[in-house]
Amino acid sequence: MADDFELRAYCYLDRMQPQYASFVGTVTQGDLPVEGMAALYVEMAPGNHVFRVVDVAVKATQARPGAQIVERQFGMFELHSESQAEVLQAGDAVLRELDLVPADRKRPQIASMQVITNVSPYQSQLLNRFTRGMMLVAGQTMLVLECTPAAYINLAANEAEKAAPVNLMHVASVGVFGRLWMAGTESDILAARDAAVAALEGIDGRD
């Protein structure tokens, strides 16, 4: 690997939740995932390395590529399968190709987090114009979470949905920061927030 290569995120999801999988299906340009599949997200720099690494992973396993994105600074890809073993094997193939281990990834950092209670109807109408997920209803509580590297926001969203019956509004996982919007009752949002934070804090790696 070149001296300037950086493994920014290596993120495994054991079981895609219903809303999360449905949301991913609205934005992905590759193979469509469904609820219950396992997934792997990998982010790296320089971004063009994703093409070679994805090729290695899909040749080595039956995991399917859902996303393969190169933007201004970073590259990110996602693989998924109904078999957790296939996704884990794909991850092993990626790490062997890069001559790295999971601990070589960057540790996620929460850049900002807000819980907004009793959202006004004007705010909800404005935000609903920018989402591909569930609608925000006036009076609900909203969670806004931002982290870096961006790919880790997928884990946060999936684990938050596991923890509470919240509405997944929006996930953005490409670029410098990953962003998550969720809505629900105040108690459910607080439970989802705690689960998302715990998931991010549970990832080891470089500071």
Side-chain angles (χ1 to χ4, degrees), residues 93-121:
V94 167
L95 293 173
R96 283 195 305 272
E97 177 66 17
L98 299 174
D99 194 23
L100 297 173
V101 297
D104 290 319
R105 63 193 167 187
K106 288 197 69 173
R107 186 194 310 270
Q109 300 289 329
I110 294 175
S112 68
M113 181 167 55
Q114 302 171 60
V115 172
I116 305 167
T117 59
N118 193 24
V119 174
S120 79

Side-chain angles (χ1 to χ4, degrees), residues 110-160:
I110 294 175
S112 68
M113 181 167 55
Q114 302 171 60
V115 172
I116 305 167
T117 59
N118 193 24
V119 174
S120 79
Y122 296 106
Q123 175 81 318
S124 65
Q125 290 290 73
L126 181 62
L127 291 173
N128 286 336
R129 298 185 67 181
F130 297 97
T131 69
R132 290 195 175 185
M134 303 289 281
M135 294 292 177
L136 174 63
V137 178
Q140 286 185 315
T141 294
M142 179 180 177
L143 169 66
V144 180
L145 178 63
E146 187 174 49
C147 76
T148 184
Y152 287 120
I153 204 68
N154 297 288
L155 177 65
N158 201 61
E159 293 303 307

Side-chain angles (χ1 to χ4, degrees), residues 67-98:
Q68 183 177 236
I69 301 169
V70 177
E71 48 89 43
R72 185 186 306 176
Q73 292 178 274
F74 312 122
M76 186 272 287
F77 67 86
E78 181 268 343
L79 304 170
H80 54 261
S81 172
E82 294 178 352
S83 166
Q84 292 184 0
E86 287 290 332
V87 173
L88 292 171
Q89 289 172 17
D92 290 342
V94 167
L95 293 173
R96 283 195 305 272
E97 177 66 17
L98 299 174

